[in-house]
Amino acid sequence: MAASMCDVFSFCVGVAGPARIAVEVRFVSSAKGKGLFATQLIRKGETVFVERPLVAAQFLWNALYRYRACDHCLRALEKAEENAQRLTGKPGQVLPHPELCTVRQDLHQSCPHCRVTYCSAECRLAAAEQYHQILCPGPSQDDPAHPLNKLQEAWRSVHYPPETASIMLMARMVATVKQAKDKDRWIRLFSQFCNKTANEEEEIVHKLLGDKFKGQLELLRRLFTEALYEEALSQWFTPDGFRSLFALVGTNGQGIGTSSLSQWVHACDALELKPQDREQLDAFIDQLYKDIEAATGEFLNCEGSGLFVLQSCCNHSCVPNAETSFPENNFLLHVTALEDIKPGEEICISYLDCCQRERSRHSRHKILRENYLFVCSCPKCLAEADEPNMTSEEEEEEEEEEEGEPEDAELGDEMTDV
């Protein structure tokens, strides 16, 4: 059951329709599946497209640790100064240029039944119309016996930070179908994401849940079924179907990060200041980040993940010609050209972060095989095909350090830097 191109492109924003988007989806090969191709010249620095996700959800530990985000679009809800105070552990922390903070707390709204918070009336209504009527726990929001709370607690007990997925992304998929008038359309859209073999699915679930994944997966399936069973999606609730759904989210979930402090810093960077004032402001920001690192470590953002139909069609390259970002401080994904892209050329992003892309071919392949279950054949990998299958001493040391970390720690960049 395939979704139409109108369905696929309907989640792009800021355009009139498919005719205005300079890309098309094509079948590439049985190994790579689909790919995204330019239909006209796209210049370096141009936005290829902007897309909103089918569904998105904040990571559960991230929310529990008071990273306050809109329950629908994940926009950071704290003012930049509040964000800095929490992250530094300094209640008296003051930021210069407070007028640069873009957070509008006067627009925030809550669900009248369960009190989850949204950045605007638009997000509250969008959530209610798509999935929240099904998922709203009402006055049982804090009741540990509520089926959804039992499901979330079970998930937190098996998937620790750094987080790469959320059971609530799957819950919103089911709730969207349950609540939809046109259930078949949403089922078609969710079916667009890549499928794996049974063995590959087990590898992905093992990566997310650890060595005892079979028992944990069955517990999650039982709780998921108790909370959300839907006849139209009955296959998703079987052991095989639930594993497939789990693998779909694990493979296709695109990490989303938002931060009011980061937005404030970018606005500061754009200020036209005298050299002395610029030097003072830069020094203040540098010290601020040092203080945050000392108090909080690397967890700076409101974090979650989403399923993006068009972005999921972008294949990987170790020398990408495009990149993804979230410059609007919400779940709207921007794909931007890193170089001129000619008509007919495939648009590729990188599933590796900048540091990983600089590692040897052997190391890159190891990361991609373990996390995405494919062997890269991009121009860079083909050019380095004759290199020995060895890592440098520094890379070996890094890998030894990673092997000594908790299993979930290996997934730190898997979804957030796709």
Side-chain angles (χ1 to χ4, degrees):
M1 189 188 303
S4 69
M5 283 300 99
C6 286
D7 277 340
V8 170
F9 285 111
S10 65
F11 288 84
C12 290
V13 299
V15 291
R20 295 285 303 279
I21 303 174
V23 299
E24 65 181 6
V25 179
R26 298 182 196 166
F27 178 77
V28 179
S29 67
S30 56
K32 293 180 73 173
K34 295 174 291 189
L36 199 64
F37 292 80
T39 57
Q40 63 189 54
L41 177 64
I42 302 171
R43 294 291 186 187
K44 178 180 179 180
E46 287 184 352
T47 299
V48 182
F49 62 86
V50 180
E51 184 179 13
R52 73 179 185 275
L54 301 186
V55 287
Q58 187 177 6
F59 293 149
L60 292 180
W61 280 105
N62 190 260
L64 190 67
Y65 282 122
R66 298 187 298 117
Y67 287 76
R68 293 174 50 228
C70 174
D71 198 59
H72 182 64
C73 79
L74 275 67
R75 184 183 299 278
L77 298 178
E78 291 177 306
K79 284 189 172 292
E81 191 166 270
E82 294 173 330
N83 194 197
Q85 290 168 352
R86 179 173 58 80
L87 293 176
T88 59
K90 298 178 179 179
Q93 178 71 63
V94 176
L95 297 185
H97 304 289
E99 73 282 358
L100 298 180
C101 176
T102 57
V103 175
R104 292 285 307 277
Q105 292 182 335
D106 56 310
L107 299 180
H108 295 178
Q109 293 197 4
S110 298
C111 169
H113 308 293
C114 68
R115 310 309 298 170
V116 297
T117 310
Y118 300 96
C119 67
S120 63
E122 289 78 10
C123 275
R124 180 179 62 79
L125 291 171
E129 289 174 2
Q130 184 178 337
Y131 55 81
H132 190 66
Q133 292 175 48
I134 297 295
L135 296 179
C136 180
S140 300
Q141 171 78 346
D142 298 319
D143 179 4
H146 188 279
L148 282 174
N149 289 335
K150 289 167 64 177
L151 177 65
Q152 292 178 74
E153 181 57 33
W155 174 258
R156 280 193 293 264
S157 72
V158 298
H159 189 66
Y160 295 96
E163 298 169 274
T164 58
S166 172
I167 196 77
M168 293 310 293
L169 193 65
M170 298 162 61
R172 288 187 179 183
M173 292 170 68
V174 173
T176 293
V177 175
K178 286 174 75 77
Q179 208 171 298
K181 293 180 180 177
D182 187 353
K183 297 184 190 301
D184 287 343
R185 173 177 178 263
W186 282 98
I187 293 172
R188 287 195 303 270
L189 284 165
F190 289 132
S191 72
Q192 292 302 293
F193 296 96
C194 69
N195 297 312
K196 300 291 183 183
T197 65
N199 286 340
E200 288 175 330
E201 288 175 352
E202 285 214 351
E203 286 187 53
I204 295 165
V205 175
H206 183 189
K207 198 70 173 158
L208 286 170
L209 297 183
D211 290 336
K212 299 178 182 178
F213 71 93
K214 289 186 178 178
Q216 292 167 341
L217 188 66
E218 179 55 27
L219 170 64
L220 291 169
R221 186 187 72 85
R222 180 173 59 78
L223 293 172
F224 195 76
T225 302
E226 289 174 4
L228 293 161
Y229 184 76
E230 164 60 38
E231 185 62 35
L233 296 169
S234 57
Q235 174 58 28
W236 284 8
F237 295 88
T238 66
D240 287 348
F242 189 67
R243 184 193 62 215
S244 296
L245 183 62
F246 217 95
L248 181 153
V249 169
T251 306
N252 296 281
Q254 162 69 55
I256 301 169
T258 64
S259 167
S260 55
L261 181 61
S262 176
Q263 293 287 101
W264 174 84
V265 170
H266 286 311
C268 286
D269 290 342
L271 288 174
E272 294 184 7
L273 300 173
K274 296 177 182 177
Q276 183 178 355
D277 293 338
R278 168 56 61 192
E279 186 176 338
Q280 289 178 346
L281 182 57
D282 288 347
F284 174 86
I285 292 172
D286 288 344
Q287 185 59 50
L288 179 65
Y289 276 114
K290 288 177 183 176
D291 293 344
I292 290 173
E293 184 177 7
T296 310
E298 63 185 47
F299 299 102
L300 305 183
N301 300 333
C302 299
E303 292 184 347
S305 62
L307 293 176
F308 297 84
V309 178
L310 202 55
Q311 176 269 340
S312 72
C313 297
C314 293
N315 286 309
H316 164 82
S317 173
C318 297
V319 279
N321 56 12
E323 66 178 357
T324 60
S325 63
F326 297 90
E328 298 186 46
N329 197 35
N330 61 10
F331 64 17
L332 291 180
L333 178 142
H334 289 234
V335 173
T336 306
L338 294 172
E339 58 188 54
D340 288 354
I341 303 174
K342 300 173 183 175
E345 187 176 350
E346 186 174 6
I347 297 165
C348 293
I349 59 177
S350 180
Y351 300 173
L352 305 175
D353 63 32
C354 294
C355 294
Q356 290 170 333
R357 291 202 298 273
E358 295 306 313
R359 296 173 73 170
S360 68
R361 174 178 178 271
H362 175 70
S363 294
R364 298 196 307 273
H365 278 205
K366 182 174 183 289
I367 296 169
L368 292 169
R369 269 198 313 272
E370 289 181 354
N371 293 320
Y372 301 100
L373 310 181
F374 72 88
V375 176
C376 182
S377 58
C378 73
K380 182 174 182 177
C381 287
L382 292 176
E384 297 174 355
D386 294 333
E387 290 186 0
N389 287 335
M390 296 174 62
T391 58
S392 68
E393 288 184 13
E394 288 185 2
E395 289 178 339
E396 286 175 354
E397 288 174 3
E398 287 179 14
E399 288 179 4
E400 286 174 5
E401 288 177 6
E402 288 170 1
E403 287 171 2
E405 294 175 347
E407 184 156 4
D408 281 342
E410 296 176 8
L411 295 163
D413 294 317
E414 181 180 343
M415 297 302 162
T416 54
D417 292 317
V418 172

